[in-house]
Amino acid sequence: MYVCLCLAISDRAIRAAVAGGARTLESLGEVSDAGTVCGGCIDELERLLRERSNGNDGAPTTEQPT
Amino acid sequence: MQGSPKVIEALNELLTLELTVVNQYFVHSRMCVNWGYGRIAGQQRAIAMDEMRDAEQIIDRILFLDGVPNMQRLGSVTVGETVSEQFQIALEGEHRALELLHSGIGVALEEEDSASREFFAGRLLEEEAHVDYAETQLGLIQRLGEANYLAQQMADPS
């Protein structure tokens, strides 16, 4: 499914970026550009980051994109 | 009539969700038109209109309680790339709607606003019907296979 509609970025691309080491909204934005235009998808990006961190360190990030 | 700020906020949270799902159903409907699945497109369009009418009634209720309807706030709009994904997204939205209605009922009771409690409760049946619609379609896709299911959905869009 498309998560970032500004740049047509899918949840698969976000999950791949998270699996590749992105742990914050900022690093996710650097790697995939997701969430860097209107910011409307940030809630969903945070959910996808939490999905990963719940299985690891358990610390969701609330860092804002630059 | 001055309403409780907590009830107005609960109504605004519901309004945010309704406005979000209107967009989702609407774009999903147009994607189905583009793919040639006119039957689903017509059904999704009808639900988008139901949700729009819901938003209208919520706005009216907020204004009646002398609150300000928050038309600015929108949840994250996710868009399914396949029909199955569209129904999964719709199902999540409808489950969230039921949660907000139940919590709204609780807030209205605490604030002794029985009319707002009735307003929230009155929307449960429609949202449950939307949950049932999405669950039924996902069940059909699982049992028939996506291709067989979609073969039954080709029609002129209504």
Side-chain angles (χ1 to χ4, degrees), chain B residues 4-56:
Chain B
S4 140
K6 286 182 185 170
V7 170
I8 291 168
E9 180 48 29
L11 287 162
N12 263 320
E13 278 186 38
L14 186 61
L15 177 60
T16 297
L17 182 77
E18 297 286 357
L19 294 173
T20 307
V21 300
V22 164
N23 285 1
Q24 283 179 175
Y25 277 117
F26 196 58
V27 73
H28 286 164
S29 164
R30 303 328 290 168
M31 288 167 81
C32 284
V33 168
N34 184 48
W35 291 329
Y37 304 129
R39 284 181 66 184
I40 315 175
Q43 290 159 0
Q44 302 220 53
R45 187 175 191 279
I47 297 178
M49 296 302 147
D50 285 348
E51 306 292 11
M52 183 79 89
R53 270 190 297 275
D54 289 348
E56 183 179 41

Side-chain angles (χ1 to χ4, degrees), chain A residues 1-3 5 10-12 40-44 47, chain B residues 31 74-81 85 88-89 92:
Chain A
M1 68 189 71
Y2 293 115
V3 173
L5 298 181
S10 72
D11 61 328
R12 292 183 304 281
C41 61
I42 281 173
D43 286 350
E44 187 64 15
R47 195 184 68 77
Chain B
M31 288 167 81
L74 202 62
S76 288
V77 175
T78 42
V79 174
E81 292 174 82
E85 275 189 3
Q88 280 157 8
I89 290 166
E92 280 172 29

Side-chain angles (χ1 to χ4, degrees), chain B residues 36-39 41-42 153-158:
Chain B
Y37 304 129
R39 284 181 66 184
Q153 308 305 326
M154 293 183 291
D156 290 334
S158 52

Side-chain angles (χ1 to χ4, degrees), chain A residues 39-63:
Chain A
C41 61
I42 281 173
D43 286 350
E44 187 64 15
L45 296 179
E46 283 178 338
R47 195 184 68 77
L48 291 167
L49 282 165
R50 271 199 305 275
E51 184 182 275
R52 170 78 182 191
S53 60
N54 284 344
N56 291 296
D57 57 1
T61 176
T62 52
E63 188 184 334

